[in-house]
Each structure stands twice: as structure tokens, then as C-alpha cells.
Amino acid sequence: MERRTFVGGTAATLAALTTACKAGGGSAAASPSVSASRTSFRSASSAAAANWAALARDLDGLLVRPGDADWPAARQLYNTRFDALKPAAVAYVANTDDIRTTLSYARAHSLHVAIRNGGHSYAGWSSGNNRLIIDVSKLNRVRASGTSAVVGAGAKLIDVYRALAAKGVTIPAGSCPTVGVSGLTLGGGHGVVSRAYGLTCDSLTQATLITADGKQLTANATDHKDLFWALRGAGNGNFGVVTELQFRTHPAPQAVTAYLSWPWSRAAAVMKAWQGWGPSQPDEIWSSLHLAGAPGGHATVSVAAFSVGTYGELKNAVDRLADKVGAPASSVSLRRRGYEEAMEIYAGCSSFSTDAQCHLPGATPGRSRQGALGRETYAARSDFFDRSLSPAGIQTLLKQMNAIRGGTGSIAFTALGGAVNRVSPTATAFVHRRSRMLAQYIAAWQAGTSGSTAQSWLTTAHNAMKPYASGAAYQNYTDPTLTNWRTAYYGDAAARLATVKKQYDPSRFFSYPQAL
């Protein structure tokens, strides 16, 4: 959930309530905590001996190394928590030959690689100490025709939305403008039209990737069917470097947005009412409930809703929610919006005068010299809930929000159901098809400070809610603290995924702490 500061019932508030920059997940791949014993690589010594000038000459794209002018931006991930990581180099690959060259170079020099697009990996695994980062940002072309779209794996979400909206179509996706479409898709992909159109991976019809040995594979419903199944939910950094995604598109109609807030004294009633209301709405209505707090007991409770239906239908729906709460909302905003306008509001970009501003600043691929977005500092966890919280569960939840002592904390619940849950749990590697709600817990703090108090709150809050949750976790909200991550992320799909991994990456070239 986006951590942006609330500004009443304005567009900035709507942006703050949606699944934004902490909802994408990075494109993939490696971690500084990977033990050398897990593979035959010797990253540190090999990085020092590597002939980087030779690699730079062999690439059509750009190789950036420590000491280069672009290095300060090139080495960064979105989350400032990972600024201490020291990758060996960043290869901004321009085509599939560049990917093959980089992979071959990494094998020859026993280097670990990390695959990166938006750099939003919650665990920092799209970078790493002494890693050779393969950044796919230059592979960003978006083409749409009829009911299909071909999207380069390096495209950023805001650019995908804009290109498709120009054709009157969209794909179901998240809200953060700088999230890479590949990372979002390969881990599932939740967004404000998921109940209407399904997850991002549910609209994926084909993926092209380069394997560790340089082979180009196209996976779809008829070719490499097991790989196609695995890529839809477990594709981040496990099987190869994805270069291109093909999607089935959906209409991008005029939409309706809503925002409601209540006094904190009504928080228990709002939670009780919303958890029965949100997952039970018609498919076209998505919603999330957001609990936010800061030291001193300054907590807030809000609901955001989005509909591809009519204004009247959403108005009637939120009126029914208020009736269930037993009190009218203290702040209400309900507006018709163009689809692209709504996506830009959720992205936090509606106030910008140019498209280029809706990017991170910088001269490297994937950024813009006119970029006006900033990075953030946070940690997160997640839970799926198969049933509504009991009164005791609600009280536990509110107690955690009142216990924040440092930084800021939030717990956001997204309504599931609709098209998401009409897919069989075994149809894709995204198995979370029977839950009612997805919760994301976030602790945020000022960059450059330890954040220890905020992170302690995060751990305590997440642990306190475990008795009420299903035990599953969202793989795009990567949680490096999970000990049972295979079951939490993949459930009954874990065994089949291990088989697919052995087939397509038998040497486990693509490896990181939570790799298959």
C-alpha cells in the first residue's frame, strides 16, 4: 500500500489508499544473503577479476560500473533500505542478444546475476552485493491491436496504462507507476480491476524468456505449457530472463472512484461492516480498507472503492456500507473519472504537467531526467484471510494500530472474490483463489534512520494476526522472514513448481534465498 500522506478526500488521498508502490514486487532475482555453498559461484573474487570493459564492448545496451557518472542512480532500488548493497555492475540490456551475452559472461566468470525491472523487490533481491544486475528497462515497447497487447518486459506500469488507454483498453494491474510490468505479472498482480478482470497473470497469454544457457523459449497454452503455468505466479527470477509478455486486453471504460473515512472511534464497526461488504460486491466494484497510524495514537480508518460500473451503482453500494457501519462517513468523495485519469490519480501523478514527471529522476533507462517521483523507506508483510475476522480478531487488529511507537504503520485489507476467485487454485501457480481478503502490513520510517522501532511493530502486528489468517502469503509482497515460504506462497503448487524448475533451470543458475 502506498505510504503517501493523506490530504483529506482529495486525489492524493485516493492514491494513498490503493495498492501502489509497495505492491508490485521486483522483476526478480538475487540476494546479498545467498550463501556461496548454494551454488558453485564465487561472486566476490570473480567480480574483481572480471574484464568489464570487454563486456561493455559486447553490449548494444549500457554497462554501468562503480565510479561511472550514472552509478549512483543505477545501483539504487526503489526502497532506500537497500542503499548499502554494492552490486558489481548493471547491464541495461537492449535486446535478447545482450541478455545472452550477459548470461554467458556471468557463467564464464562465476558471477551471480540479479534480474531487475522496476527494482521494487521487498527483499532487495533485484540487486545484491557483487551481483551482475540484468536490467530489462530498455525492453519497454508496448503495442496493442484488437483485444491483445504485446508488452516489453521492461515497461513501467504507468507507461503501459497510458499506451493501452490510447487504444481504449487496459490490463488488470497495480497502481505504482514505477513498478515493472514483468515483476507484477509473474508474481500474480493485484489491482483495482482485479475483481472485474482477474489478476494480471490471468490476462497473460504468452511469455518469451531467455534461459540460463541462452535459449529463447516462448511459453503459452500449447508450447512449454508447464512453464507457462509456472510463470503465472512463480515466474520472478526462477526460470530465466523474461523479455516480452503478451496479454488479452479488456475495455478501459469511464470509472467511478470513492473515498470514505470515519472517526477512529468507529474503526471496529467499519472493519466489521467492510469485511462482509467488500468481497460480496458485484465484480465491477473493488475496495480496500486502510488503517493507518503514527506515534501518539493518531490512527485513521478509511475505505477506497473503484468501479467500472455506473455512478449510481457505486453510490448505492457505499451507502449500504455506511448503513452497516451505523454512521455516515465523516468524509466522502465520489467521482466519475476517465480510466487513464483514475490510474494516474492512484499512481500519485495527477498533479504533474508532463508524462515524464511520473517516473523516478535520472538519466538511466527506466528513469526520466524530468522525473518527479521519490523513493521510500519501508518494510512489509502479508496475510490472506479465508474468512471474516471475529470480534476478537478485530480488537487485536485495532490494538496493534494503537501500539505504534516509531515511524508510521498501516494495515490495508483488499477485497478479493469476483474474477480472481473464479479461477481454479491449480490453474496457475498463483494458488490464492479461495480467500476473501488480502492484508498488507507496512512499517515506514525516515530514510537514513534505523527504523528498528517501526520494524519491531511490524513483526509484532503480523504475529498478532496470525491466529486469524490462513497461513498463506502473497509472493509479490516478498517476506524474507518467512520460514515456510514455499507453502505460504505456493501451497499445493510447490511440488509441481520444483519439477518445472529442474526442467528449465537444472543447475539453479537463477538462485536466491526463496528461489525454487
Side-chain angles (χ1 to χ4, degrees):
M1 288 311 223
E2 179 51 73
R3 188 177 54 82
R4 297 187 181 97
T5 305
F6 284 18
V7 188
T10 65
T13 306
L14 294 177
L17 286 167
T18 57
T19 340
C21 288
K22 301 177 188 66
S27 299
S31 165
S33 61
V34 178
S35 167
S37 64
R38 296 192 61 179
T39 69
S40 61
F41 297 128
R42 302 176 302 281
S43 298
S45 61
S46 297
N51 184 350
W52 297 106
L55 176 60
R57 287 193 300 270
D58 288 343
L59 296 178
D60 292 324
L62 175 70
L63 184 73
V64 183
R65 287 271 295 142
D68 292 344
D70 288 331
W71 184 246
R75 65 185 296 273
Q76 290 177 349
L77 298 184
Y78 178 79
N79 194 332
T80 68
R81 285 177 62 204
F82 306 115
D83 282 357
L85 295 177
K86 297 179 179 179
V90 178
Y92 290 98
V93 293
N95 46 49
T96 56
D97 283 343
D98 274 3
I99 295 173
R100 291 190 180 97
T101 296
T102 307
L103 291 174
S104 177
Y105 187 88
R107 291 195 307 271
H109 293 85
S110 299
L111 290 166
H112 287 290
V113 300
I115 309 167
R116 190 179 75 184
N117 184 357
H120 284 259
S121 169
Y122 277 24
W125 294 342
S126 45
S127 181
N129 291 328
N130 300 309
R131 304 282 164 162
L132 171 52
I133 297 175
I134 301 175
D135 190 297
V136 298
S137 293
K138 289 177 72 68
L139 309 179
N140 61 358
R141 186 180 179 190
V142 181
R143 312 186 301 279
S145 177
T147 59
S148 67
V150 178
V151 180
K156 305 302 181 282
L157 195 52
I158 190 62
D159 300 318
V160 175
Y161 276 139
R162 286 169 170 163
L164 296 184
K167 302 286 187 178
V169 297
T170 192
I171 57 173
S175 300
C176 178
T178 61
V179 158
V181 67
S182 49
L184 179 77
T185 304
L186 299 173
H190 279 277
V192 297
V193 293
S194 291
R195 300 188 76 254
Y197 295 152
L199 303 176
T200 316
C201 71
D202 295 336
S203 291
L204 185 69
T205 58
Q206 183 169 288
T208 302
L209 75 163
I210 307 297
T211 59
D213 57 2
K215 293 179 181 177
Q216 179 171 308
L217 302 179
T218 298
N220 52 39
T222 56
D223 297 322
H224 300 286
K225 292 186 291 185
D226 281 351
L227 178 59
F228 183 56
W229 169 85
L231 289 172
R232 290 173 291 165
N236 281 330
N238 275 308
F239 306 104
V241 182
V242 173
T243 62
E244 189 175 82
L245 304 165
Q246 184 168 312
F247 294 97
R248 178 178 64 257
T249 59
H250 306 264
Q254 185 178 59
V256 188
T257 62
Y259 164 79
L260 306 90
S261 65
W262 284 264
W264 184 248
S265 60
R266 292 281 182 177
V270 174
M271 183 67 208
K272 180 181 179 182
W274 176 84
Q275 67 181 351
W277 175 86
S280 303
Q281 292 307 298
D283 290 4
E284 60 265 23
I285 297 176
W286 168 96
S287 66
S288 68
L289 179 142
H290 193 265
L291 306 169
H298 303 294
T300 61
V301 55
S302 308
V303 171
F306 177 91
S307 178
V308 290
T310 69
Y311 180 95
E313 289 167 342
L314 185 57
K315 185 179 187 304
N316 289 338
V318 297
D319 285 347
R320 289 192 295 271
L321 173 62
D323 288 343
K324 289 178 178 292
V325 173
S330 58
S331 177
V332 181
S333 173
L334 189 69
R335 288 191 57 183
R336 297 180 179 90
R337 302 182 189 275
Y339 192 88
E340 183 179 353
E341 175 195 8
M343 295 305 103
E344 292 189 348
I345 288 172
Y346 288 138
C349 297
S350 61
S351 64
F352 295 153
S353 59
T354 67
D355 288 355
Q357 289 178 280
C358 196
H359 294 83
L360 291 173
T364 54
R367 295 187 176 226
S368 169
R369 294 183 187 276
Q370 293 78 43
L373 296 177
R375 298 188 301 144
E376 299 184 80
T377 310
Y378 60 92
R381 310 279 175 83
S382 71
D383 275 320
F384 283 95
F385 291 82
D386 293 346
R387 57 185 62 85
S388 293
L389 288 174
S390 65
I394 293 175
Q395 290 305 312
T396 300
L397 177 68
L398 301 186
K399 180 181 178 181
Q400 300 311 309
M401 295 309 304
N402 287 322
I404 297 171
R405 298 292 179 266
T408 60
S410 67
I411 304 176
F413 290 83
T414 297
L416 302 178
V420 175
N421 285 21
R422 281 196 293 274
V423 176
S424 167
T426 58
T428 69
F430 188 94
V431 299
H432 315 295
R433 305 287 188 168
R434 296 295 180 262
S435 295
R436 288 181 61 81
M437 304 179 293
L438 169 62
Q440 182 171 204
Y441 311 77
I442 289 180
W445 59 95
Q446 185 176 354
T449 63
S450 72
S452 58
T453 304
Q455 293 183 75
S456 177
W457 171 83
L458 177 66
T459 299
T460 300
H462 187 231
N463 287 340
M465 297 306 297
K466 281 183 179 179
Y468 310 101
S470 69
Y474 182 24
Q475 47 266 50
N476 263 352
Y477 298 162
T478 310
D479 183 354
T481 70
L482 288 176
T483 56
N484 65 334
W485 58 269
R486 286 182 179 83
T487 300
Y489 295 156
Y490 306 120
D492 292 341
R496 182 179 175 187
L497 284 169
T499 299
V500 178
K501 175 72 169 179
K502 289 179 181 178
Q503 179 179 355
Y504 289 96
D505 185 23
S507 66
R508 297 190 78 246
F509 178 85
F510 299 105
S511 184
Y512 55 100
Q514 292 180 355
L516 296 171

